[in-house]
C-alpha cells in the first residue's frame, strides 16, 4: 500500500508540472521531470534509505565512500515556471489530468510572484501557460465574483480576464483599472507588458463609482503604469451627457510623488487691479533634498507680483522653506489728482528646524517674517493677512554642555505696519550656569549638612538693539540708533529643612546692568516742549537684595451635602506666601526730577536709563515684606455616565485666584505697593477665563498724579483705584462625529519630514481652505462653534506729559460652521471691535459635497478688503487645476 500511494503522488506531480496547492503536502515544489515521453517509467525506482552504512555504535567505523544522498534527482521541465503558484477555492476544484488543467469554482484565488488574482471561476491551463478568470450572474442578473487582479501598484477589475503566466500579457473585457487617483474604464484592455496597457473605447475619471459622475471619453488610449496615459481624440462627459469640447489628444500624468511641471493660474477680477491671472508658475524638483516653486500674479492695470519659494529637507537632520515675494502694485486711485496709485513692496519669510536627534545638545531654529509695512495691504483676496498689522522674526541657536552650562544666541525682529516702527535685536546672547552646590560632598554619606544646600548660579544676557522707522532705513540711521546693553544676575539660595508646615527659603541676589547710552530729559522754555539729550559711553548700575521667604498650604473641605445632591464635596486650598527682604538704594544717582509743562509747578521723576534695552533698576531702598495669597477650588460631583471610582468625578471650579503686593517700611512715601489681582478658571472644562487687574491704594490729585494718601482715608472707605485690567473668555463647542471611524486622527509631527510653514504660509493655507472649503470641510462633524471675547484697559501717561488717559480695547471673535443638509455646509468668521463699534472683518463660506467634485463659495462682504470667490473643481489632486473659478475683490 505505501508503494501505491507514493506512485500515485508522483504521477500527480508529473502531470501538474509546476503547480502546487496551498492545501497540499508541499506548496514550495517548483518543477519535476516531464515523464510523458514514450518509454519513460512513470514510477522511479526508490532507493532503500535504510540500507545505507552508518557508524557502528560500538566504535567501529564502516566504509562510507561512494554513498549517494537519497533524493528525487529530477530535472526541470521546459514548460515549468520560475516561481510557485498558490491556488485555492471555497467550493471545489476539478483537475483535468490528461489536458493539464485545473478549474476552481467559487471564490477562486491564484497567487504568482507579486500577482494576486481572485474571481468566481478560475481556470489554469499548464499546456498553454494561461489563466482564465470569469464571473457569473446570480438569479437577479447581477455579476458575482468579478475577476480582480492586483499586481504591484496596479488594480484591474473585469468581467472576463485571460493572461499568460510566462509573458504576463493578457486581455480583459469590460475592465476597470486604477492608476493612483486615476481610474480607467475600458471595453477591452490589452496588457502587453507588466507596465504597459492598451484600451479601446475607454473613459478616464477620478470618480470611484461604477457609473462615474464625470469622465473623459476616448476611442483608444495607452497607459504606462505610474508614468502617464496618452489618448486619442477626447471629450468630457458629465452624468453621461457629452460636453461639446473636443481635443485631438489627451495627456494625463500618473506620476506619484514629487515631479516638475507647470502650475496653472486662476482668473480674477477687481475694480482696482483689473483683470488678472493669479498663481501662474512652475514647480522644479532639483534633487531629493531641494525644490523650488515660482509663481506670479499679472493684472491688466499694470500691477504684478512674483514669488520664489525654495524648500529643502534632509531626513533626520533638518528641513525648511523660504518665500521671497515682490509686489509692483498699480491700482486705481481714490484721489482725483492721479489715476493710479503705485507701490513697490516686498516680503521675506524663512522657516527652518533641526531634528533634535541630529546633534544632541545643539539646536537651531528660524522663523523669519520681514518686509515692507504696506505689503499686507496689497495682498489680494486674503483678509486674514490684510489685517495683520505686525511682523516678527526669530532666529535661535543654543548649545548645552552637560547639565551645567547653556549658551543661547538669537536675533529678533518686530515691526508695526501701522506706525512703520522697526525694532531689531541682534545679536542677543544668553549664558546660563545652572545652580551648583560648591560645598556639597561628591559622595554624600548620611544626612546632608545645612551649608551643603547652598546653591549659586549665573545668568548673563547681552543684547544689541536697533530701532528706526521704515522711511529712515539706512546705514547711517542704523548706526545712529544702535545701542547695546548687558545684564548679569547671580542668585544665591539656601534650602533649609521644613519647620513643621512652613517652608523657609533664604536667598541673596546680585544684579548688574551695562548701558551704552544715557538719556537726559529737559524742558525747553523757548519752544515749550520736552527735549531728550543722548550721551554715548559706558555706564553701569547695580542692585542687591536679601530675602527670607515663608510659604505653606492650608486645606479645607466641606462635605455636608445631602444624599441626593449632585455635589459630594468642595475642596479649598489656600497657599499664603510671605517674604521679608531688604534692598539698599544703589540707583539713586540715576534718577532726577524734570519739569513737564510750562507752569513750572509739575515735575516728573525720570531715570537716565529709561528707554534702554534692559531699563533701570527701581529707585529707593526697600526694607519690608512681600505678600501673596493663592486659592483654588475643586468639587466632587456624581456622574451618571462615568461609573469609575464609584461614579465620583473631580472637577475644577477655579484654577487659581488671589493677589500679590508689598510694603516698604523704609520708604519715605508710598510705602504700600500696588496690589496685583488675578483669576483663572476653566468652567465645565469648556469655558476658559483669565482675568487680571492692578489696584492702586492711593488717591490722585486733579491732574491724575498720585498723592501720598490712602484711598480709604478721610472717613470714606475705598479699597483703591483699578488702574489697568484685562478679561479674556474663550470656548469652543463641537458636535459628535457621525461616524467615529472617520474621526480625524492626530499625526505624529515629530516624524513628519515636510518643511515647516511660516506664519504667512499658514495664513495662505488657511485662506486657501476658506476659498476651497469643500476640500477641507469635515461633513462628519455636523456643527462647530468657537467664541472668544477680550477686554482690556490701562491708564497711561500722555505723550506730551500733560496728564493721564485711559485706553480701552474690546472685541469679540466668532468662528463656526454647520451642515444645512448632509451635503451642504455653511460657515462664518467675524471679528467685531467695540472700540470702533464696527465689524472689522466678516467672511462666509458655503460648500457642497458632490462626491468626486467640490463646490465652494467664499464671500467677504464687510471690511476694507472685500472679495467673492466661487470654485468648482474635482477633489482629486491630479485634476485639481481643472477648475471653474470666478474671483472678484475690492480694495478700499
Amino acid at each position: 500500500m505505501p508503494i501505491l500511494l507514493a506512485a500515485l503522488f508522483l504521477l500527480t506531480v508529473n502531470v501538474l508540472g509546476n503547480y502546487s496547492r496551498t492545501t497540499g503536502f508541499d506548496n514550495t515544489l517548483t518543477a519535476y521531470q516531464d515523464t510523458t515521453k514514450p518509454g519513460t517509467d512513470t514510477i522511479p525506482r526508490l532507493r532503500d534509505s535504510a540500507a545505507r552504512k552508518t557508524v557502528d555504535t560500538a566504535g567501529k567505523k564502516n566504509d562510507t565512500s561512494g554513498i549517494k544522498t537519497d533524493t528525487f534527482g529530477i530535472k526541470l521541465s521546459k514548460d515549468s515556471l520560475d516561481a510557485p503558484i498558490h491556488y485555492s477555492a471555497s467550493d471545489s476544484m476539478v483537475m483535468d489530468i490528461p489536458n493539464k488543467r485545473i478549474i476552481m469554482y467559487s471564490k477562486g484565488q491564484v497567487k504568482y510572484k507579486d500577482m494576486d488574482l481572485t474571481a468566481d471561476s478560475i481556470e489554469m491551463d499548464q499546456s498553454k501557460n494561461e489563466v482564465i478568470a470569469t464571473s457569473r450572474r446570480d438569479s437577479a442578473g447581477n455579476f458575482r465574483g468579478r475577476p480582480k487582479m492586483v499586481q504591484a501598484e496596479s488594480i484591474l477589475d473585469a468581467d472576463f480576464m485571460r493572461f499568460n503566466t510566462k509573458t504576463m500579457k493578457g486581455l480583459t473585457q469590460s475592465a476597470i483599472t486604477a492608476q493612483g487617483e486615476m481610474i480607467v474604464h475600458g471595453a477591452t484592455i490589452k496588457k502587453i507588458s507588466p507596465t504597459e496597457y492598451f484600451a479601446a473605447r475607454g473613459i478616464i475619471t477620478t470618480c470611484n463609482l461604477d457609473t462615474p459622475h464625470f469622465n473623459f471619453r476616448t476611442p483608444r488610449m495607452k497607459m504606462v503604469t505610474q508614468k502617464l496615459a496618452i489618448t486619442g481624440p477626447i471629450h468630457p462627459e458629465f452624468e453621461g451627457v457629452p460636453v461639446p469640447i473636443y481635443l485631438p489628444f489627451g495627456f494625463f500624468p500618473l506620476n506619484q510623488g514629487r515631479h516638475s511641471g507647470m502650475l496653472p493660474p486662476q482668473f480674477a477680477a477687481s475694480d482696482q487691479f483689473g483683470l488678472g491671472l493669479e498663481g501662474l508658475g512652475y514647480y522644479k524638483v532639483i534633487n531629493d533634498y531641494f525644490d523650488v516653486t515660482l509663481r506670479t500674479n499679472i493684472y491688466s492695470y499694470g500691477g504684478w507680483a512674483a514669488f520664489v519659494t525654495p524648500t529643502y529637507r534632509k531626513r533626520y537632520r533638518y528641513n525648511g522653506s523660504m518665500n521671497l515675494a515682490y509686489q509692483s502694485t498699480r491700482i486705481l486711485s481714490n484721489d482725483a489728482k492721479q489715476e493710479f496709485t503705485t507701490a513697490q513692496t516686498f516680503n521675506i519669510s524663512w522657516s527652518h528646524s533641526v531634528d533634535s536627534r541630529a546633534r544632541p545638545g545643539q539646536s537651531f531654529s528660524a522663523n523669519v517674517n520681514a518686509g515692507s509695512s504696506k505689503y499686507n495691504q496689497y495682498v489680494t483676496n486674503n483678509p486674514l493677512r490684510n489685517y495683520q498689522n505686525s511682523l516678527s522674526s526669530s532666529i535661535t541657536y543654543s548649545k548645552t554642555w552637560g547639565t551645567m552650562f547653556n549658551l543661547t544666541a538669537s536675533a529678533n525682529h518686530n515691526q508695526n505696519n501701522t506706525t512703520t516702527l522697526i525694532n531689531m535685536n541682534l545679536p542677543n546672547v544668553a549664558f546660563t550656569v545652572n545652580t551648583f552646590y560648591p560645598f556639597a560632598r561628591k559622595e554624600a554619606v548620611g544626612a546632608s549638612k545645612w551649608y551643603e544646600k547652598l546653591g549659586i548660579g549665573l545668568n548673563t544676557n547681552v543684547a544689541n538693539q536697533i530701532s528706526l522707522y521704515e522711511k529712515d532705513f539706512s546705514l547711517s540711521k542704523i548706526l545712529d540708533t544702535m545701542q547695546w546693553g548687558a545684564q548679569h544676575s547671580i542668585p544665591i539660595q539656601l534650602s533649609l529643612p521644613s519647620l513643621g508646615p512652613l517652608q523657609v527659603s533664604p536667598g541673596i541676589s546680585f544684579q548688574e546692568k551695562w548701558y551704552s547710552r544715557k538719556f537726559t530729559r529737559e524742558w525747553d522754555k523757548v519752544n515749550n516742549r520736552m527735549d531728550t539729550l543722548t550721551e554715548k559711553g559706558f555706564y553701569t548700575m547695580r542692585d542687591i537684595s536679601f530675602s527670607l521667604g515663608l510659604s505653606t498650604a492650608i486645606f479645607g473641605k466641606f462635605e455636608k451635602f445631602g444624599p441626593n445632591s449632585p455635589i459630594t464635596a468642595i475642596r479649598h486650598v489656600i497657599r499664603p506666601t510671605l517674604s521679608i527682604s531688604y534692598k539698599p538704594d544703589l540707583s539713586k544717582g540715576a534718577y532726577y526730577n524734570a519739569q513737564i509743562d510750562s507752569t513750572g509747578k509739575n515735575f516728573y521723576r525720570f531715570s537716565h536709563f529709561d528707554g534702554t534695552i534692559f531699563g533701570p533698576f527701581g529707585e529707593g531702598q526697600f526694607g519690608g515684606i512681600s505678600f501673596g495669597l493663592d486659592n483654588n477650588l475643586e468639587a466632587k460631583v456624581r456622574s451618571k455616565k462615568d461609573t469609575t471610582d464609584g461614579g465620583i468625578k473631580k472637577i475644577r471650579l477655579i484654577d487659581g485666584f488671589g493677589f500679590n503686593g508689598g510694603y516698604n517700611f523704609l520708604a519715605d512715601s508710598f510705602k504700600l505697593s500696588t496690589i496685583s489681582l488675578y483669576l483663572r478658571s476653566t468652567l465645565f472644562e469648556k469655558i476658559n477665563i483669565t482675568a487680571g487687574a492692578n489696584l492702586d491704594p492711593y488717591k490722585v490729585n486733579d491732574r491724575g498724579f498720585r498723592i501720598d494718601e490712602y484711598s480709604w482715608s478721610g472717613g470714606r472707605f475705598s479699597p483703591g483705584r483699578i488702574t489697568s485690567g484685562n478679561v479674556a473668555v474663550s470656548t469652543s463647542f463641537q458636535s459628535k462625529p457621525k461616524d467615529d471611524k472617520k474621526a480625524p486622527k492626530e499625526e505624529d509631527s515629530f516624524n513628519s519630514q515636510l518643511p515647516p510653514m511660516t506664519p504667512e504660509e499658514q495664513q495662505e493655507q488657511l485662506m486657501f481652505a476658506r476659498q476651497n472649503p469643500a476640500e477641507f470641510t469635515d461633513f462628519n462633524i455636523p456643527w462647530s462653534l468657537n467664541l472668544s471675547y477680550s477686554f482690556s484697559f490701562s491708564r497711561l501717561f500722555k505723550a506730551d506729559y500733560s496728564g493721564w488717559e485711559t485706553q480701552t480695547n474690546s472685541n469679540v471673535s466668532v468662528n463656526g460652521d454647520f451642515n444645512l443638509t448632509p451635503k451642504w455646509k455653511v460657515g462664518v468668521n467675524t471679528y467685531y471691535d467695540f472700540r470702533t463699534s464696527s465689524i472689522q472683518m466678516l467672511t462666509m463660506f458655503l460648500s457642497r459635497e458632490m462626491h468626486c467634485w467640490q463646490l465652494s463659495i467664499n464671500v467677504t462682504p464687510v471690511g476694507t478688503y472685500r472679495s467673492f470667490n466661487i470654485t468648482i473643481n474635482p477633489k482629486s489632486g491630479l485634476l485639481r487645476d481643472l477648475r471653474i473659478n470666478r474671483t472678484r475683490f475690492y480694495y478700499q
Side-chain angles (χ1 to χ4, degrees):
M1 180 64 71
I3 295 177
L4 293 177
L5 291 176
L8 180 61
F9 170 72
L10 293 176
L11 176 63
T12 304
V13 168
N14 257 325
V15 174
L16 296 182
N18 182 37
Y19 298 127
S20 62
R21 296 173 51 194
T22 57
T23 57
F25 296 99
D26 188 354
N27 62 354
T28 62
L29 299 178
T30 60
Y32 305 94
Q33 183 180 2
D34 188 357
T35 60
T36 60
K37 298 180 180 179
T40 303
D41 186 3
T42 59
I43 303 177
R45 181 181 299 174
L46 299 178
R47 183 183 299 274
D48 187 6
S49 60
R52 291 181 298 170
K53 294 181 180 181
T54 59
V55 179
D56 185 72
T57 57
K60 296 180 179 181
K61 298 182 179 180
N62 298 323
D63 185 12
T64 59
S65 61
I67 297 180
K68 296 181 180 181
T69 305
D70 181 15
T71 63
F72 288 110
I74 300 175
K75 296 181 180 180
L76 293 178
S77 172
K78 293 181 180 180
D79 59 352
S80 63
L81 298 173
D82 58 353
I85 294 181
H86 305 271
Y87 56 92
S88 64
S90 63
D91 187 284
S92 60
M93 290 190 295
V94 176
M95 297 184 180
D96 185 358
I97 295 177
N99 296 319
K100 297 184 180 181
R101 293 194 308 160
I102 297 179
I103 304 175
M104 291 160 280
Y105 294 100
S106 184
K107 298 181 180 179
Q109 183 177 20
V110 174
K111 292 184 178 180
Y112 174 63
K113 292 185 179 180
D114 62 343
M115 183 273 293
D116 188 355
L117 173 65
T118 57
D120 179 74
S121 175
I122 301 178
E123 177 183 341
M124 297 190 300
D125 191 331
Q126 183 195 8
S127 61
K128 297 180 180 180
N129 292 315
E130 282 188 351
V131 175
I132 300 174
T134 60
S135 59
R136 65 181 173 88
R137 290 183 181 269
D138 58 14
S139 58
N142 298 322
F143 281 100
R144 297 294 182 185
R146 279 171 54 89
K148 180 179 181 180
M149 184 174 68
V150 179
Q151 185 175 22
E153 299 181 356
S154 299
I155 301 175
L156 183 64
D157 286 276
D159 291 343
F160 172 83
M161 189 179 299
R162 180 198 298 263
F163 72 96
N164 188 288
T165 55
K166 276 196 170 183
T167 63
M168 298 308 293
K169 296 180 180 181
L171 187 69
T172 61
Q173 295 178 358
S174 300
I176 302 174
T177 180
Q179 302 285 331
E181 293 183 283
M182 190 70 70
I183 301 173
V184 178
H185 298 238
T188 302
I189 294 181
K190 183 178 180 180
K191 183 179 181 182
I192 63 172
S193 73
T195 60
E196 293 180 294
Y197 298 81
F198 284 94
R201 299 189 305 277
I203 63 174
I204 298 179
T205 183
T206 57
C207 182
N208 57 7
L209 298 180
D210 292 338
T211 304
H213 290 113
F214 80 100
N215 59 264
F216 298 89
R217 185 172 295 276
T218 180
R220 57 187 179 274
M221 74 175 74
K222 179 182 179 180
M223 293 175 295
V224 181
T225 303
Q226 304 303 324
K227 287 187 177 180
L228 56 87
I230 301 176
T231 73
I234 190 171
H235 68 274
E237 290 181 350
F238 287 89
E239 299 289 351
V241 179
V243 177
I245 300 176
Y246 292 86
L247 300 174
F249 66 91
F251 178 85
F252 297 87
L254 303 178
N255 305 63
Q256 301 296 315
R258 300 161 59 240
H259 56 277
S260 303
M262 294 293 297
L263 300 175
Q266 69 177 19
F267 178 78
S270 170
D271 293 339
Q272 279 76 30
F273 290 81
L275 302 179
L277 293 177
E278 297 180 341
L280 176 63
Y282 187 81
Y283 174 73
K284 176 63 177 178
V285 177
I286 307 298
N287 52 42
D288 292 339
Y289 309 104
F290 191 77
D291 54 61
V292 180
T293 302
L294 306 174
R295 287 187 180 272
T296 183
N297 300 340
I298 304 173
Y299 303 99
S300 60
Y301 289 167
W304 58 273
F307 310 90
V308 180
T309 307
T311 61
Y312 55 91
R313 67 198 62 81
K314 191 170 185 179
R315 189 176 292 272
Y316 308 123
R317 295 295 299 275
Y318 55 81
N319 55 59
S321 66
M322 181 177 291
N323 183 48
L324 308 175
Y326 182 83
Q327 291 181 148
S328 179
T329 306
R330 192 170 190 262
I331 61 176
L332 288 178
S333 176
N334 294 326
D335 189 355
K337 297 181 180 180
Q338 58 181 3
E339 183 179 4
F340 292 99
T341 298
T342 60
Q344 283 72 40
T345 56
F346 72 94
N347 182 264
I348 300 174
S349 59
W350 176 39
S351 181
H352 179 91
S353 64
V354 176
D355 195 320
S356 59
R357 298 168 294 184
R359 293 185 177 181
Q362 298 185 48
S363 67
F364 177 79
S365 63
N367 195 344
V368 176
N369 180 18
S372 304
S373 298
K374 293 186 177 182
Y375 177 84
N376 290 344
Q377 298 180 15
Y378 297 116
V379 174
T380 61
N381 200 25
N382 192 339
L384 295 178
R385 184 159 188 173
N386 297 147
Y387 288 98
Q388 185 180 358
N389 292 324
S390 61
L391 302 176
S392 61
S393 305
S394 176
I395 302 175
T396 304
Y397 170 80
S398 65
K399 181 175 177 57
T400 301
W401 293 271
T403 60
M404 192 71 176
F405 306 101
N406 180 268
L407 174 67
T408 301
S410 63
N412 303 300
H413 145 269
N414 66 81
Q415 66 184 85
N416 189 307
N417 291 341
T418 302
T419 63
T420 70
L421 180 63
I422 301 174
N423 294 311
M424 293 181 288
N425 296 297
L426 60 129
N428 287 357
V429 180
F431 181 74
T432 302
V433 179
N434 295 328
T435 303
F436 65 97
Y437 301 90
F439 302 110
R441 292 169 290 178
K442 294 183 178 180
E443 297 181 1
V445 178
S448 301
K449 304 297 183 180
W450 66 269
Y451 55 83
E452 291 182 305
K453 296 184 178 181
L454 179 67
I456 303 175
L458 172 65
N459 297 311
T460 296
N461 291 277
V462 180
N464 186 70
Q465 185 181 68
I466 301 171
S467 182
L468 72 166
Y469 289 93
E470 182 179 352
K471 63 182 179 60
D472 299 328
F473 199 91
S474 63
L475 180 60
S476 60
K477 287 290 184 181
I478 290 176
L479 296 177
D480 184 58
T481 60
M482 181 184 298
Q483 60 169 313
W484 63 270
Q487 178 176 261
H488 314 277
S489 175
I490 303 178
I492 303 174
Q493 59 185 16
L494 181 63
S495 299
L496 297 179
S498 301
L499 299 178
L502 295 177
Q503 180 66 43
V504 182
S505 302
I508 302 174
S509 177
F510 174 80
Q511 298 184 67
E512 180 169 326
K513 295 182 180 181
W514 298 347
Y515 306 96
S516 63
R517 298 192 177 194
K518 182 172 71 173
F519 302 100
T520 303
R521 293 164 179 83
E522 297 180 352
W523 180 259
D524 185 354
K525 297 181 179 180
V526 177
N527 299 314
N528 287 329
R529 65 181 186 185
M530 181 72 74
D531 291 336
T532 302
L533 304 179
T534 303
E535 298 180 50
K536 297 181 180 181
F538 179 78
Y539 310 94
T540 62
M541 288 187 71
R542 298 171 182 83
D543 188 67
I544 191 171
S545 63
F546 308 88
S547 64
L548 179 66
L550 303 174
S551 62
T552 187
I554 304 172
F555 301 88
K557 182 184 287 187
F558 182 79
E559 299 178 307
K560 296 181 180 181
F561 291 94
N564 298 325
S565 174
I567 302 176
T568 61
I570 292 180
R571 184 189 187 200
H572 183 198
V573 181
I574 305 174
R575 292 183 174 85
T577 59
L578 180 66
S579 175
I580 303 173
S581 59
Y582 170 74
K583 182 184 78 69
D585 187 7
L586 302 181
S587 307
K588 185 176 181 180
Y591 285 83
Y592 61 95
N593 292 321
Q595 180 182 338
I596 60 175
D597 58 17
S598 58
T599 62
K601 299 180 180 179
N602 295 305
F603 291 83
Y604 191 81
R605 193 147 181 89
F606 294 96
S607 172
H608 288 293
F609 304 109
D610 287 331
T612 57
I613 298 177
F614 295 106
F617 289 114
E619 182 187 16
Q621 62 178 349
F622 181 88
I625 59 175
S626 299
F627 51 86
L629 187 66
D630 182 69
N631 303 263
N632 67 6
L633 287 177
E634 295 179 341
K636 290 185 177 181
V637 298
R638 294 184 175 91
S639 176
K640 297 181 180 180
K641 298 180 180 179
D642 190 357
T643 59
T644 57
D645 297 331
I648 303 300
K649 183 179 180 181
K650 183 186 294 186
I651 62 173
R652 296 174 297 176
L653 300 178
I654 301 179
D655 296 335
F657 68 97
F659 61 88
N660 294 290
Y663 190 87
N664 186 2
F665 293 100
L666 300 181
D668 55 357
S669 61
F670 302 106
K671 295 185 177 183
L672 183 62
S673 69
T674 57
I675 308 299
S676 175
L677 311 173
Y678 63 90
L679 169 70
R680 60 183 185 276
S681 178
T682 304
L683 299 180
F684 314 111
E685 298 182 355
K686 278 289 185 183
I687 304 176
N688 300 315
I689 302 175
T690 58
N694 286 321
L695 179 68
D696 188 351
Y698 292 96
K699 295 181 180 180
V700 296
N701 59 17
D702 54 352
R703 296 197 58 184
F705 292 93
R706 300 172 72 195
I707 59 176
D708 191 16
E709 292 184 16
Y710 292 118
S711 58
W712 54 81
S713 62
R716 182 175 63 89
F717 176 77
S718 174
R721 298 174 299 105
I722 300 294
T723 58
S724 63
N726 62 84
V727 177
V729 182
S730 64
T731 184
S732 62
F733 301 95
Q734 181 177 286
S735 63
K736 294 182 179 179
K738 294 180 180 179
D739 188 355
D740 293 334
K741 296 181 180 180
K742 295 182 180 180
K745 298 180 181 180
E746 296 183 0
E747 297 182 354
D748 186 2
S749 59
F750 180 81
N751 295 324
S752 176
Q753 294 301 316
L754 295 176
M757 291 190 298
T758 63
E760 290 66 40
E761 292 174 331
Q762 295 175 4
Q763 294 290 344
E764 291 174 1
Q765 291 281 359
L766 180 59
M767 196 59 198
F768 180 82
R770 287 304 183 195
Q771 294 175 352
N772 303 273
E775 187 172 348
F776 302 92
T777 300
D778 189 359
F779 283 88
N780 194 38
I781 305 297
W783 61 268
S784 63
L785 179 65
N786 300 314
L787 301 172
S788 63
Y789 171 78
S790 64
F791 172 80
S792 64
F793 69 94
S794 58
R795 188 167 175 80
L796 303 175
F797 202 30
K798 292 182 180 181
D800 58 357
Y801 306 100
S802 60
W804 299 82
E805 61 180 356
T806 301
Q807 293 185 359
T808 61
N809 293 283
S810 179
N811 60 77
V812 62
S813 177
V814 180
N815 182 8
D817 58 66
F818 63 93
N819 292 353
L820 290 174
T821 68
K823 299 296 183 181
W824 283 97
K825 181 179 281 288
V826 64
V828 64
N829 182 15
T830 185
Y831 176 87
Y832 182 83
D833 188 2
F834 291 95
R835 183 177 181 181
T836 59
S837 300
S838 63
I839 298 177
Q840 296 294 319
M841 182 185 68
L842 173 63
T843 63
M844 299 180 292
F845 73 85
L846 180 68
S847 62
R848 173 69 165 91
E849 167 64 33
M850 299 188 298
H851 187 253
C852 54
W853 280 72
Q854 61 187 14
L855 165 67
S856 61
I857 301 175
N858 186 70
V859 183
T860 304
V862 178
T864 304
Y865 308 89
R866 305 173 188 176
S867 62
F868 170 82
N869 173 274
I870 180 171
T871 302
I872 303 176
N873 64 291
K875 286 184 180 180
S876 169
L878 189 64
L879 300 178
R880 179 181 297 172
D881 297 322
L882 181 67
R883 66 175 62 193
I884 301 173
N885 175 267
R886 176 62 169 170
T887 302
R888 294 185 65 87
F889 52 90
Y890 177 78
Y891 167 73
Q892 184 177 353

